[in-house]
Amino acid sequence: ASEAGDHDLVIIGGGVAGYVAAIKAGQEGLKTACIEKRGVLGGTCLNVGCIPSKSLLNNSHLYHQVLHDTKQRGIEVGDVKLNLTQMMKAKDTSVQGLTKGVEFLLKKNGVDYLKGAGSFVDANTIKVALNDGGEQTLRAKNIIIATGSEATGFPGLEIDEKRIITSTGALALTEVPKKMTVIGGGIIGLEMASVWSRLGAEVTVVEFLGQIGGPGMDAEIAKQAQKILGKQGIKFKTNTKVVSGDASGATIALNIEAAKGGKEEVLDSDVVLVAIGRRPYTDGLNLEQVGIEKDDRGRLVIDQEYRTKLPHVRVVGDCTFGPMLAHKAEEEAVAAIEYIKTGYGHVNYAAIPSVMYTHPEVAWVGQNEAEIKASGVKYRVGTFPFSANSRAKTNLDTEGVVKFIADAETDRILGVHIIGPGAGEMIAEATLAIEYGASSEDIARTCHAHPTLSEAFKEAAMATYSKPIHF
Ligand code: FAD
Ligand code: NAD
C-alpha cells in the first residue's frame, strides 16, 4: 500500500491531534497536507474547548474574587460590574490569536492546509469537499485520521445551544441564566458550573454516580472538591439521574430521581447543560469503503503503533482509545509521525496528567487509591494540607491537599492527587517523577524553593515514607 502519491502524508482533521502531526511531519521533511472542515485550525480544544473555557474560568474567577475576597486583603473596591460581552470578547481574542498562530506554524513548516471535509475514495485517495465549493483529490502514501469527538446528547432533550446546551453553548451564553442545571458532574460539568455560578447563576449539578469529577479522580479528592465547590454556591444532586425533560414551557422541567429508582422530583431551569461525556466523531469519512473498523463505542480500532487494518492509515486523538485530552492527542500525534519516519515512537499512557481548572484546581497523574487497592499492590499514602504551607497561608488561599500514593515495598510513586491552588502546574513534577520511576523519597530529598506551594508537594512526599516537617 505504500506506492508513491502526491503527498507523503494526508491528515484528516486540524485539531490538536491533526495540526501537531502536521507540524511534526513538516519538520521531518514529509510532504504533508492537513484537511480541516471547520474553516479554522485548532479543533475542539482551541475553538470550543480547552482555550475558551480557561479564558472564562480565569476571568470569572477574578470577577468573583473582586466581589467576595478583597476586604481581608486590604483592598477596597467600589461598584463592581460584570460586562459579559467584554468577557466573551476577551475569550474570542485569545482563541483567534492562537488559531492564527497554528495556521502560521503550518505554513512555516511547509504544510498544505485545505479547508474542507475529507473522505476516503480508496485506501490511498482522499477526496476533499472544499468549503468554498468544488472538490480536490489527494493521493497519499500515509494517512492520519484525527477527526476528534463530539458531545453526547441526552435522549429527549434537543440541543439548541441557547436553552439546552452542550459545552459549546456554555462558552457563548449572552446573558447569565437565573437557574442553570448541569447534567453530568464530570470535568466539563464542573468547569462550566464554576464559570456560571461565579457570574451569578444558581447552578445545580445532577450526577448519576455517588462521586463527582468523572472517571479517574481519586474519591477522597472528589469529596473535598464537592465540599469546596458546594461552599462556593454550587448545589449537587449525586446518585441522581435525569429521567426525562420538557422544554416546551417558559422554563425547562427536568424529571429527576434517585439513581437506584425512587420518587421523582421536578427541577426547573432556564438553561440546561448536557455534559455526560463525549464520543468519537468519524461521520462522513466513508470508512466502510476501505474497511476501517470501530469498536462498540465508536472508537477507531488501532494497534500499538496507531495503525488501522490498513497499515498506512493511522489514528490519533479523541477518535480512538484513551482519555480525551489535548495533551494526550499531542503526544500521539508526535509518536505517529515518528513511527512513519523511523519505525519507532512512544507514549507513556501511565503518565498522562489530568487537570480540572476549577478553583482550587484538581490535578492527578497515575492510579487513584481505589485502583491501586483493587490491583492488590501494598501501598503507602502521604498527604500534606495547603493550610500548613507558608505560601498558601500568605496568599490566603489554603484549601486543599497533596496526596501521594507509593508502593509500600519499593516506594515507587504510583499516583499523585492534588486539590489546591496551582495544582495544574504542580502536577508536572509528579508526571516527571512517574515518567522517571521516582520514589517518594527522591522527591522529598529534592530541594524545593521557599516559600512556594511546591513545598506542599515535597512535604506530602516526605509524609509518604517518613514524616513531614510542618504538619
Ligand atoms: P478535535 O479537537 O475534536 O479536532 C478534530 C477536528 O477534525 C475538528 O476541528 C473537526 O472539524 C475536524 N474534522 C472532523 N471530520 C473531518 C473531516 N471529515 N474532514 C475535515 N475535518 C474534519 N482537554 C485538555 O487536555 N485540557 C482541557 O482543558 C480541555 N478542556 C476542554 C473543554 C471543553 C469544553 C471540551 C469540549 C473539551 C476539552 N478538552 C480539554 C478536550 C480536548 O478539547 C480534546 O481532547 C482535543 O480537542 C482532542 O483533539 P483532536 O484533534 O483529537 O480532536
Ligand atoms: P466525563 O466523562 O468526564 O463526565 C461525565 C459525567 O457525567 C460522569 O461523571 C458521569 O457519571 C455523568 N453522567 C453520565 N450520564 C449521566 C446521566 N444520564 N445523568 C447524570 N450524570 C451522568 O465527560 P465530560 O465532562 O462531558 O467531558 C468530556 C471529555 O472532555 C472528557 O474526556 C474530559 O476529559 C474532556 N475534558 C477535559 C477537560 C480538562 O482536561 N480540563 C475539560 C473539559 C473536558
Side-chain angles (χ1 to χ4, degrees):
S2 60
E3 64 196 82
D6 298 339
H7 284 89
D8 296 318
L9 173 65
V10 168
I11 300 164
I12 310 178
V16 174
Y19 90 68
V20 170
I23 293 171
K24 181 73 182 168
Q27 289 171 347
E28 293 294 337
L30 299 174
K31 185 170 162 44
T32 302
C34 180
I35 309 166
E36 170 56 59
K37 68 176 181 177
R38 190 184 293 268
V40 53
L41 292 165
T44 304
C45 178
L46 271 68
N47 292 285
V48 288
C50 327
I51 297 302
S53 61
K54 266 79 259 181
S55 170
L56 292 182
L57 277 158
N58 189 52
N59 291 333
S60 64
H61 174 64
L62 279 175
Y63 170 71
H64 195 255
Q65 187 166 27
V66 172
L67 270 185
H68 302 289
D69 183 25
T70 54
K71 272 218 179 94
Q72 59 166 345
R73 298 172 188 277
I75 307 166
E76 304 271 338
V77 286
D79 252 4
V80 181
K81 271 195 235 131
L82 172 68
N83 181 341
L84 186 58
T85 312
Q86 182 55 36
M87 198 177 275
M88 290 292 171
K89 236 188 229 164
K91 172 207 70 173
D92 293 338
T93 305
S94 308
V95 169
Q96 278 156 18
L98 288 167
T99 55
K100 280 209 188 98
V102 169
E103 192 166 340
F104 167 77
L105 288 172
L106 256 58
K107 201 178 274 168
K108 185 180 147 194
N109 287 289
V111 176
D112 297 328
Y113 165 32
L114 284 88
K115 294 186 184 177
S119 61
F120 280 86
V121 175
D122 61 42
N124 288 88
T125 312
I126 300 292
K127 181 175 78 185
V128 188
L130 297 165
N131 289 355
D132 289 341
E135 239 177 55
Q136 196 170 330
T137 302
L138 302 174
R139 296 274 302 154
K141 233 190 264 183
N142 295 283
I143 295 167
I144 288 182
I145 304 175
T147 49
S149 62
E150 62 180 355
T152 307
F154 190 92
L157 288 175
E158 202 185 321
I159 304 289
D160 60 16
E161 296 297 9
K162 294 207 159 45
R163 294 172 75 218
I164 301 180
I165 61 179
T166 67
S167 51
T168 300
L171 294 168
L173 292 178
T174 50
E175 54 185 293
V176 180
K178 199 169 163 319
K179 280 190 183 169
M180 179 171 186
T181 299
V182 177
I183 309 180
I187 306 257
I188 292 189
L190 298 177
E191 288 187 351
M192 290 302 107
S194 288
V195 166
W196 293 105
S197 141
R198 291 165 185 170
L199 298 182
E202 251 175 68
V203 181
T204 304
V205 175
V206 181
E207 167 57 52
F208 185 77
L209 300 175
Q211 175 185 326
I212 62 164
M217 195 181 286
D218 187 83
E220 216 176 332
I221 301 286
K223 217 170 168 182
Q224 276 216 33
Q226 186 173 337
K227 203 164 137 203
I228 294 170
L229 294 175
K231 268 199 294 184
Q232 292 172 10
I234 300 172
K235 291 200 187 88
F236 290 98
K237 288 187 179 293
T238 49
N239 290 310
T240 304
K241 68 178 174 200
V242 174
V243 182
S244 60
D246 178 6
S248 61
T251 56
I252 303 150
L254 292 182
N255 296 306
I256 59 170
E257 68 172 33
K260 290 186 183 128
K263 219 177 99 213
E264 279 200 20
E265 194 187 325
V266 179
L267 210 57
D268 270 318
S269 356
D270 303 296
V271 170
V272 171
L273 166 61
V274 179
I276 57 172
R278 292 178 64 82
R279 59 182 173 219
Y281 176 81
T282 55
D283 291 359
L285 286 171
N286 202 20
L287 294 175
E288 312 72 40
Q289 174 75 20
V290 286
I292 290 175
E293 296 171 326
K294 295 180 201 172
D295 73 356
D296 55 351
R297 288 164 61 186
R299 299 176 293 195
L300 296 183
V301 176
I302 49 169
D303 67 10
Q304 293 199 330
E305 299 182 14
Y306 309 103
R307 290 175 303 201
T308 63
K309 256 178 147 175
L310 304 174
H312 69 290
V313 180
R314 290 180 154 84
V315 186
V316 291
D318 278 12
C319 59
T320 186
F321 308 116
M324 290 188 177
L325 294 171
H327 42 279
K328 173 265 193 187
E330 185 167 350
E331 294 300 305
E332 290 184 343
V334 170
I337 300 304
E338 287 173 341
Y339 275 119
I340 291 171
K341 186 74 186 176
T342 68
Y344 301 94
H346 175 69
V347 177
N348 180 2
Y349 289 91
I352 294 178
S354 293
V355 182
M356 177 168 88
Y357 297 84
T358 48
H359 190 88
E361 291 177 346
V362 176
W364 70 94
V365 62
Q367 293 174 290
N368 64 37
E369 192 170 349
E371 287 164 347
I372 296 168
K373 198 176 267 172
S375 75
V377 170
K378 288 206 176 63
Y379 64 92
R380 278 197 302 251
V381 174
T383 61
F384 192 84
F386 283 97
S387 57
N389 171 268
S390 60
R391 188 60 181 278
K393 268 180 133 66
T394 52
N395 287 353
L396 304 174
D397 197 2
T398 54
E399 280 179 318
V401 66
V402 181
K403 172 177 176 179
F404 265 72
I405 312 174
D407 188 301
E409 268 159 45
T410 65
D411 193 33
R412 191 185 178 115
I413 299 165
L414 302 172
V416 177
H417 303 267
I418 309 171
I419 177 167
E425 300 292 341
M426 199 175 285
I427 206 64
E429 186 177 353
T431 310
L432 192 69
I434 289 183
E435 183 73 45
Y436 280 80
S439 64
S440 75
E441 188 175 347
D442 287 331
I443 301 289
R445 292 190 183 280
T446 302
C447 184
H448 287 64
H450 176 77
T452 62
L453 298 168
S454 72
E455 288 171 292
F457 186 83
K458 175 191 160 113
E459 293 223 39
M462 283 176 119
T464 312
Y465 82 100
S466 167
K467 282 185 181 143
I469 300 294
H470 294 95
F471 190 65

